[in-house]
Amino acid sequence: MPEKSQKDAERSEALEMNPWHQAMEQLDRAGSKMNMEPFVLERLRHCKRILTVSVPVKMDDGSISVFEGYRIQHNLDRGPAKGGIRYHPQVSLDEVKALSFWMTMKCAVVNLPYGGAKGGVICDPKKMSIGEIERLTRRYTSEISILLGPDRDIPAPDVNTNEQIMAWIMDTYSMTVGYSCPGVVTGKPIEAGGSLGRKEATGRGVFYVTRELSNIRGFDLRKAPVAIQGFGNVGANAAKIFAEHGCKVVGISDVGGGLYDAKGLDIDDIMAYRQTHESIAKYPRAEHVPVEHFVEVPCEVLIPAAMENTITHENASKVKAKFVIEGANGPTTNRADRVLEERGVLVIPDILANAGGVTVSYFEWVQDIQAYFWSEKDINARLQDIIVRAFREVYEVAQRERVDMRLAAFMVGLNRLAKAVRIRGTFP
Ligand code: NAD
């Protein structure tokens, strides 16, 4: 390849893998389709607040390591900031910016009274002890506490963070203000003011979306083989809930490798195996699939529930599924989207498909503020109501405007957001 075209190819590859660039392309696409006023789009092209913090942590061997962390509030026009906290070696400012923007859009699509935020720390929790993770969490919380508060900014779990970490965040914030403040974070353990159903909520929302899709499209979900990439909070709970509803989960993977069985995997058995093993990759009672080829396994419904950019223009042509339901945030690049669309694969976008998590986070926050807790039956029924309503609204826009579901979801979210931006006006 001549040097110039080689450079162009590398540049377009880099942009394809940059989540902020992807997110802004998605915004522009919706903005131009809707003829949106430039000032609204300009507001959304900027994050309202970006905080970078250094997080010194005393390690077990007595040394001090300094980690870099971020908390970004993308937009607060529809309410306080809401969004998870990620611990991962590949966390970057552009990634956190994109994730905070997608939170703004997601809360608007499902109509929750929140703005969007996200946080992250560049670290590898797999190489840290529990004590080191606790000290990292408490110091990071203290560093970003100038932004936090139940009516200001409410974090939640994301990749490599969990209920225990949320409890430390709640405790650290409470120690700082001098009283117990459960509403400052969601995804907490029940004992510390958490909500029933929160742990399973994102996976459950993915299931409700897929079931509604099967109702509208008229296919039998119990006969449609499902493959799920990622076996963490979203992926493992989705697998469990699909299996509980009689669906056949034929593929499942984590960062170490993938499993496949055309007759259906025994999810309970894999969950039990996971209790005593770091990864499911060597689980003995299934075929093994290399991680980089997992999205190509034979299935009808593919649920990427791991990280960004796992479906790219390079592997999109090998996806066998008819439906891609985005459990993860940003798993399909924009170039891959075009390839899938040309091949007639329907993608249900992240800002709709995985909104079950933030929806039950919202319920948890409401319960904390009222100090009155609901039954799990109530929570799941309300979750279903919100997710199905949002799905139908987006589907209806997609049909009416003859656009794909991602563009339709952006149009629904942007429309709601633009109304708030316009009516609040520009201060001063
Ligand atoms: P998690 O840390 O609980 O699990 C992540 C899983 O992905 C792990 O099983 C890990 O091994 C696997 N993984 C990582 N890289 C992989 C790869 N290349 N191939 C296959 N598997 C890989 O994280 P989570 O909370 O389940 O989040 C997963 C995704 O869902 C993220 O994109 C996150 O932003 C999104 N999300 C999470 C929530 C939530 O409530 N936790 C809500 C909405 C969206």
Side-chain angles (χ1 to χ4, degrees):
M1 207 188 283
E3 203 181 316
K4 187 172 177 302
S5 18
Q6 170 77 22
K7 281 223 168 84
D8 285 350
E10 279 167 17
R11 190 167 174 273
S12 80
E13 200 100 341
L15 290 178
E16 180 183 8
M17 302 310 254
N18 180 314
W20 178 245
H21 178 81
Q22 300 289 300
M24 291 303 97
E25 268 188 10
Q26 294 165 357
L27 174 66
D28 287 344
R29 202 166 156 243
S32 101
K33 174 80 188 166
M34 296 169 78
N35 244 334
M36 185 57 68
E37 306 99 292
F39 90 94
V40 174
L41 298 176
E42 198 50 25
R43 287 275 296 268
L44 299 175
R45 275 193 204 102
H46 295 269
C47 296
K48 182 177 171 69
R49 293 188 180 113
I50 299 181
L51 178 63
T52 302
V53 294
S54 68
V55 187
V57 178
K58 200 175 278 172
M59 307 305 277
D60 291 345
D61 65 4
S63 66
I64 307 279
S65 292
V66 183
F67 298 87
E68 181 151 305
Y70 310 101
R71 183 70 186 171
I72 298 180
Q73 297 178 343
H74 170 262
N75 179 278
L76 305 182
D77 278 301
R78 301 186 67 256
K82 189 88 192 80
I85 288 174
R86 176 175 296 196
Y87 290 172
H88 198 276
Q90 260 100 49
V91 162
S92 70
L93 193 56
D94 271 357
E95 181 189 58
V96 184
K97 280 168 70 179
L99 290 164
S100 70
F101 165 78
W102 284 324
M103 283 307 296
T104 302
M105 296 308 300
K106 192 182 301 181
C107 292
V109 171
V110 283
N111 206 5
L112 303 177
Y114 285 136
K118 206 78 182 194
V121 179
I122 307 171
C123 64
D124 189 351
K126 300 229 158 60
K127 296 192 179 134
M128 296 168 74
S129 70
I130 291 283
E132 288 168 344
I133 293 173
E134 176 173 357
R135 292 191 291 280
L136 172 90
T137 301
R138 289 188 181 276
R139 182 61 188 253
Y140 169 69
T141 304
S142 168
E143 293 295 340
I144 64 166
S145 65
I146 51 174
L147 294 180
L148 301 185
D151 49 4
R152 294 153 52 109
D153 185 342
I154 308 117
D158 192 74
V159 174
N160 291 331
T161 57
N162 56 23
E163 286 194 331
Q164 174 60 77
I165 291 173
M166 298 308 114
W168 290 327
I169 293 175
M170 181 272 203
D171 185 68
T172 304
Y173 182 83
S174 298
M175 290 301 110
T176 309
V177 294
Y179 55 89
S180 257
C181 189
V184 70
V185 67
T186 59
K188 300 177 294 293
I190 304 287
E191 298 75 12
S195 173
L196 293 166
R198 172 60 185 92
K199 221 178 358 191
E200 301 81 10
T202 312
R204 193 173 294 282
V206 168
F207 173 74
Y208 289 151
V209 159
T210 315
R211 186 167 64 185
E212 191 56 22
L213 175 70
S214 73
N215 291 338
I216 287 186
R217 285 293 177 111
F219 67 91
D220 184 352
L221 193 52
R222 276 164 310 175
K223 292 200 179 120
V226 179
I228 304 175
Q229 179 190 49
F231 201 59
N233 176 283
V234 182
N237 281 301
K240 195 177 82 179
I241 293 161
F242 273 81
E244 274 168 12
H245 284 84
C247 300
K248 193 159 72 168
V249 180
V250 294
I252 187 95
S253 72
D254 67 15
V255 70
L259 305 172
Y260 177 78
D261 185 340
K263 297 195 295 296
L265 295 161
D266 183 342
I267 299 301
D268 288 338
D269 196 41
I270 298 172
M271 290 226 171
Y273 178 89
R274 176 71 181 82
Q275 295 286 316
T276 51
H277 297 78
E278 177 92 343
S279 163
I280 58 171
K282 296 209 167 81
Y283 172 78
R285 288 171 286 284
E287 248 177 76
H288 294 162
V289 185
V291 111
E292 61 279 13
H293 292 298
F294 184 77
V295 300
E296 302 161 26
V297 295
C299 63
E300 220 164 293
V301 177
L302 174 65
I303 302 175
M307 300 293 289
E308 297 95 68
N309 302 337
T310 58
I311 307 178
T312 67
H313 75 281
E314 281 179 349
N315 62 14
S317 57
K318 299 179 195 146
V319 166
K320 314 261 183 328
K322 288 190 194 140
F323 307 102
V324 173
I325 320 287
E326 295 186 331
N329 289 308
T332 316
T333 68
N334 294 343
R335 278 174 87 182
D337 252 353
R338 301 286 83 78
V339 176
L340 293 174
E341 194 178 5
E342 272 163 30
R343 297 184 52 233
V345 180
L346 183 71
V347 179
I348 309 298
D350 43 13
I351 55 172
L352 172 64
N354 70 37
V358 69
T359 302
V360 178
S361 271
Y362 166 62
F363 296 162
E364 179 175 334
W365 179 73
V366 170
Q367 292 171 85
D368 286 338
I369 289 171
Q370 300 181 339
Y372 179 75
F373 289 85
W374 314 342
S375 72
E376 191 161 1
K377 191 163 159 259
D378 260 6
I379 285 163
N380 291 342
R382 288 177 200 231
L383 169 64
Q384 175 167 305
D385 192 44
I386 288 182
I387 293 292
V388 167
R389 191 174 342 129
F391 180 89
R392 287 185 185 156
E393 190 176 0
V394 171
Y395 194 83
E396 199 265 318
V397 170
Q399 296 294 303
R400 193 181 63 226
E401 302 289 331
R402 295 174 191 277
V403 297
D404 58 84
M405 287 290 280
R406 191 179 315 278
L407 183 48
F410 265 82
M411 290 167 75
V412 168
L414 192 52
N415 185 35
R416 220 165 250 144
L417 200 50
K419 283 184 184 161
V421 172
R422 277 184 217 116
I423 208 149
R424 285 185 59 163
T426 302
F427 176 84

